[in-house]
Amino acid sequence: ENPYKRGSTILPGEQTTDCPKAGTKVSSRAYNPLIRDWCRRQALHPGKLLVEGPFLDAFTPDTWLLSFGKSVYDPITHEFVACTSIALQINFVEQIMRDARLTPKSHIS
């Protein structure tokens, strides 16, 4: 439900008719953020910056990401326009923590 317009959906029916069924694998060329949970969470929480992760990157093995995003609504019609997302690699955090040990016997967990 659109948080700005009670009783109406976030997306009109014509934008969801081509969405694959839950659990269906699709190629990266057919990637549709509108059916992803992270986009749905953004759409349901307008005005809030949401953090997702950490999670493994689907395209780069052994790469951990942390993403930040916010929904975009038309300020006049209050219709949902888009989800935004920026993902940052966080593999370097472990090395920073190792370098910042308080004592030689400190452990990272």
Side-chain angles (χ1 to χ4, degrees):
E1 180 172 280
N2 183 324
Y4 288 119
K5 299 172 93 175
R6 298 289 177 208
S8 65
T9 60
I10 293 172
L11 294 173
E14 64 270 9
Q15 289 186 13
T16 58
T17 54
D18 292 334
C19 291
K21 295 200 184 310
T24 303
K25 293 189 181 224
V26 295
S27 78
S28 60
R29 290 180 185 215
Y31 182 81
N32 181 355
L34 298 175
I35 62 172
R36 303 296 180 173
D37 286 337
W38 63 267
C39 185
R40 184 173 291 124
R41 278 190 291 277
Q42 285 182 17
L44 293 173
H45 298 92
K48 294 185 179 179
L49 178 67
L50 300 181
V51 179
E52 299 286 336
F55 57 91
L56 281 170
D57 186 357
F59 303 103
T60 310
D62 301 320
T63 300
W64 285 92
L65 301 172
L66 191 63
S67 72
F68 303 86
K70 196 172 182 180
S71 61
V72 178
Y73 278 83
D74 183 298
I76 296 170
T77 66
H78 299 296
E79 296 292 331
F80 175 75
V81 176
C83 290
T84 63
S85 181
I86 182 167
L88 305 172
Q89 289 186 9
I90 59 170
N91 291 23
F92 64 89
V93 172
E94 182 179 356
Q95 189 58 47
I96 289 171
M97 292 175 69
R98 287 187 191 284
D99 294 345
R101 286 190 211 189
L102 297 174
T103 69
K105 293 184 179 183
S106 296
H107 294 283
I108 300 170
S109 59

